[in-house]
Amino acid sequence: MAAASVTPRRAFANVAPQRSEIREALAKHFADEGTAGTFVGYKIDDYLIIASDKERSGQAMLPASTFKIPNSLIALETGVVGDPDKDVFKWDGVTRSIEAWNRDHTMRSAIAASAVPVYQEIARRIGVERMQKYVDLFEYGNRDIGGGIDQFWLTGNLRIDPVQQVDFVDRLRRGVLPISKRSQDLVRDILPVTKVGDSIIRAKTGLLGAEIGKPSLGWIVGWAEKGTAQTVFALNMDCREPRHIADRMRLAQQCLGDIGAI
């Protein structure tokens, strides 16, 4: 079953036309966990986009910490970060509830810990003008960085849907974003890696509004590599209970397994 909402709006530049289909069985994984969500996978070799539904897969939402991917690219491209392993961001001394944030970080360790304060500082150093320039160049979501230079991806105006996430991540995977090869190579290298059998998943999570009892939004976006085959994917879900936060990767793996990507 094809769905227009699954077809990327910018047509995954420079690749063959895609086929798209809905596989409703994928949606059952979210229902089985007592929540709602969506999964979109792009099987590169098959030029096939698979989505769990035709509604939520096209709904734009705040990107949360998945924006650390473009933020890292922009930091490197502008020189705000010269070396992701050597440039150190000193802890500001404010004790936060996530212990891993309460220390000095390089960009590599900050993306692994999803250290929001570090990336807020990176965004402030980039500044509004340069941030807008690159968000436009990347054609990232609705391109609206209103709501504060260090908040727009968390509580501000930026919105992106799962299909757009897949499109953006695929361009990074292929190294065809309109920035230097070095910046793209480095960000691909610092993305957190999870090994699943003989496959690996390079992905970034995101989480909004983690108050218990309130639906919060959880993301995971990236790509899976199984031998030479690669599948780009995006998942988001309502994290209605604390356990759902950890379920993001597990559900992504279930969906990727269902479509033969891992």
Side-chain angles (χ1 to χ4, degrees):
M1 176 183 177
S5 65
V6 180
T7 304
R9 275 159 286 289
R10 61 183 312 284
F12 286 56
N14 304 319
V15 298
Q18 303 80 34
R19 296 174 295 122
S20 62
E21 61 184 61
I22 303 297
R23 294 190 188 174
E24 294 178 354
L26 295 170
K28 188 174 184 295
H29 292 305
F30 301 102
D32 287 347
E33 293 300 326
T35 190
T38 188
F39 172 87
V40 176
Y42 174 41
K43 300 192 76 173
I44 308 303
D45 292 345
D46 299 333
Y47 302 110
L48 175 63
I49 302 163
I50 300 166
S52 60
D53 63 89
K54 61 181 180 181
E55 288 83 25
R56 184 160 173 157
S57 63
Q59 290 177 1
M61 303 180 181
L62 279 158
S65 283
T66 66
F67 189 75
K68 286 185 172 69
I69 300 175
N71 208 356
S72 298
L73 290 164
I74 298 166
L76 289 163
E77 195 68 8
T78 57
V80 164
V81 174
D83 188 319
D85 293 302
K86 294 180 180 176
D87 292 11
V88 176
F89 291 83
K90 292 289 187 180
W91 177 40
D92 61 8
V94 177
T95 300
R96 297 176 175 87
S97 60
I98 299 176
E99 182 59 34
W101 295 2
N102 301 326
R103 63 186 66 149
D104 296 348
H105 277 287
T106 61
M107 195 163 74
R108 185 185 296 275
S109 68
I111 199 167
S114 204
V116 169
V118 172
Y119 274 86
Q120 289 180 308
E121 176 60 23
I122 286 172
R124 288 191 289 268
R125 294 184 188 181
I126 291 169
V128 172
E129 185 175 342
R130 291 191 295 182
M131 185 70 79
Q132 186 68 66
K133 171 188 171 182
Y134 284 100
V135 168
D136 285 341
L137 276 174
F138 295 165
E139 300 181 35
Y140 188 89
N142 67 355
R143 312 185 195 185
D144 188 343
I145 66 168
I149 186 60
D150 57 3
Q151 291 289 333
F152 65 85
W153 67 94
L154 298 167
T155 59
N157 298 343
L158 189 61
R159 299 290 186 276
I160 191 167
D161 68 46
V163 175
Q164 291 171 326
Q165 287 269 32
V166 168
D167 178 26
F168 171 73
V169 170
D170 185 56
R171 285 180 282 147
L172 170 62
R173 179 194 66 83
R174 292 186 288 123
V176 298
L177 290 166
I179 55 172
S180 69
K181 179 180 183 295
R182 175 182 182 270
S183 295
Q184 295 177 83
D185 288 348
L186 286 171
V187 172
R188 285 196 300 270
D189 184 62
I190 67 173
L191 278 178
V193 172
T194 300
K195 294 186 178 180
V196 185
D198 60 354
S199 303
I200 66 169
I201 298 172
R202 302 179 191 276
K204 183 70 196 77
T205 56
L207 183 67
L208 291 176
E211 301 93 341
I212 293 175
K214 267 188 166 182
S216 60
L217 178 69
W219 279 102
I220 181 166
V221 306
W223 67 91
E225 302 174 1
K226 181 180 182 181
T228 59
Q230 299 191 4
T231 301
V232 186
F233 71 93
L235 174 151
N236 72 47
M237 59 184 281
D238 298 336
C239 294
R240 297 171 178 168
E241 301 176 33
R243 65 184 176 88
H244 289 150
I245 296 170
D247 283 342
R248 289 171 294 175
M249 176 59 86
R250 184 171 60 80
L251 289 173
Q253 290 181 23
Q254 287 179 343
C255 292
L256 288 166
D258 284 0
I259 67 173
I262 59 173

